[in-house]
Amino acid sequence: MFKWLKKNPRRSSTEADVCFERASRHILANCYDAAVVEFTRLIEIEPRSVRGYLGRADARTLEAAEIVERYRASGGRQFELTFEELNAPSGQSLHPPEKDKWWRLNERIMKLQYESKGDYQKALKLDPHNSHAREMLQSLSG
């Protein structure tokens, strides 16, 4: 997933490179919000930066996956519940506090995935042959 993390040794260190390095460290430390901020700065400096869009999309995708894993590790039910299962008669459904938590987390995951799709699409627009962006976009759309 992190092919874009490789630094290009031929380039001098610019402000965009510094943002990229900081964002990369944040991703490796699982600090996805901080990584998104740095990748956004990189994109502001270099609006046609494929690595900026890929990095920001990957950070959001990883954050969404981490949310699901934390929820499951805490004993939460699967995110794959259907609307009918979520609203089933008492005893078959989630209890109100867990249902509220499920809705909040699901909403956050959907937002992260939506934003990731936009960034992968932008990366593909800039580099139509980028296989990573294409694969990730297909996995989010599938």
Side-chain angles (χ1 to χ4, degrees):
M1 179 178 270
F2 300 118
K3 291 177 187 172
W4 51 265
L5 258 176
K6 295 177 184 171
K7 184 176 171 142
N8 184 344
R10 294 177 287 159
R11 294 181 56 191
S12 62
S13 184
T14 64
E15 187 178 353
D17 291 327
V18 171
C19 290
F20 180 80
E21 292 297 323
R22 280 195 299 248
S24 300
R25 283 195 302 273
H26 289 309
I27 281 201
L28 294 174
N30 300 333
C31 298
Y32 304 116
D33 286 339
V36 167
V37 168
E38 291 298 333
F39 282 122
T40 301
R41 285 185 188 143
L42 188 155
I43 293 166
E44 289 169 356
I45 296 164
E46 294 180 356
R48 298 187 54 79
S49 173
V50 173
R51 70 182 177 160
Y53 287 105
L54 288 178
R56 189 168 68 179
D58 283 346
R60 289 174 171 151
T61 300
L62 289 167
E63 182 180 354
E66 184 178 272
I67 290 169
V68 171
E69 289 308 311
R70 276 195 320 246
Y71 181 73
R72 288 179 178 159
S74 72
R77 296 257 318 262
Q78 299 289 328
F79 271 92
E80 293 79 18
L81 289 172
T82 66
F83 185 77
E84 290 78 22
E85 290 171 322
L86 190 63
N87 292 299
S90 183
Q92 299 173 355
S93 179
L94 298 176
H95 297 291
E98 189 176 357
K99 187 185 288 190
D100 290 343
K101 181 179 180 181
W102 186 92
W103 277 112
R104 283 192 312 278
L105 294 176
N106 201 36
E107 203 170 68
R108 176 73 177 141
I109 289 166
M110 290 174 62
K111 181 178 189 278
L112 289 166
Q113 290 174 337
Y114 176 80
E115 292 169 338
S116 293
K117 284 180 186 180
D119 283 341
Y120 289 129
Q121 288 169 340
K122 182 67 175 179
L124 272 176
K125 185 175 179 182
L126 294 169
D127 178 8
H129 303 292
N130 191 294
S131 60
H132 177 68
R134 187 172 315 286
E135 289 166 11
M136 292 304 295
L137 195 53
Q138 286 174 347
S139 75
L140 287 172
S141 299

